[in-house]
Amino acid sequence: MPSFDVVSKLDHHEVENAFSQAQKEVGQRYDFKDTATTLEKNADGIVLRSSTEDRLDAARGVLEDKFVKRKVSLKALDPQKIEPAGGQSFRQLVKLKEGVDMERAKEIVKAIKDAKTKVQAAIQGDLVRVSGKKRDDLQDAIALLRGRDFGLPLQFVNFRE
């Protein structure tokens, strides 16, 4: 029985390249001079620091621009609230979303069932497996999922006959 998997994965190499380019641009641009604006990557995501909230927003804009140029979906970015970081500085954590969480997986399964297509969807960990009798039915399911916004960058992998 033909099947495919719906996943949400990041190309970590491209994320690293986009981060490095953004870090370099923030370090070189004139409007960031003397604002103590920095970008650093840690286990939680990417931390932006600056002396003003405006420069923090501009640094996030640079980061997003580099992600777009490296063809990494902005849906994978989850900017958190801007927080004061002591003194006259501000920080913001930008989390990187990867994997299909249970809530989104249920939305995907519900969308497939509501469309009354001839395929079945099953949640398996951080992916959704879609199977059906005909390849055309699976392609219809892919078209349906591409047409909807689930707040995640979705990829369709592991297509098997």
Side-chain angles (χ1 to χ4, degrees), residues 11-28:
D11 183 351
H12 290 284
H13 186 68
E14 291 298 330
V15 169
E16 191 62 41
N17 287 340
F19 170 73
S20 296
Q21 288 176 349
Q23 200 174 28
K24 186 175 181 181
E25 183 170 328
V26 166
Q28 291 178 344

Side-chain angles (χ1 to χ4, degrees), residues 8 10 15 42-48 60 63-64 67 72-83 91-99 101 103-104 150-153:
S8 178
L10 288 173
V15 169
N42 61 21
D44 296 333
I46 299 171
V47 179
L48 309 170
R60 193 179 66 248
L63 182 69
E64 290 173 354
F67 268 65
V72 178
S73 176
L74 292 180
K75 292 179 184 178
L77 296 178
D78 183 18
Q80 304 298 305
K81 198 174 78 170
I82 296 175
E83 306 167 343
R91 70 184 290 275
Q92 182 178 28
L93 174 66
V94 178
K95 292 184 178 178
L96 300 172
K97 295 190 283 187
E98 188 169 33
D101 59 4
E103 180 183 316
R104 297 280 195 314
F150 295 100
L152 289 173

Side-chain angles (χ1 to χ4, degrees), residues 51-63:
S51 59
T52 66
E53 288 188 45
D54 292 339
R55 289 295 97 208
L56 202 61
D57 288 339
R60 193 179 66 248
V62 168
L63 182 69

Side-chain angles (χ1 to χ4, degrees), residues 24-38 50-52 55 58:
K24 186 175 181 181
E25 183 170 328
V26 166
Q28 291 178 344
R29 268 184 32 185
Y30 181 75
D31 58 336
F32 287 112
K33 192 172 254 178
D34 299 329
T35 61
T37 304
T38 61
S50 187
S51 59
T52 66
R55 289 295 97 208

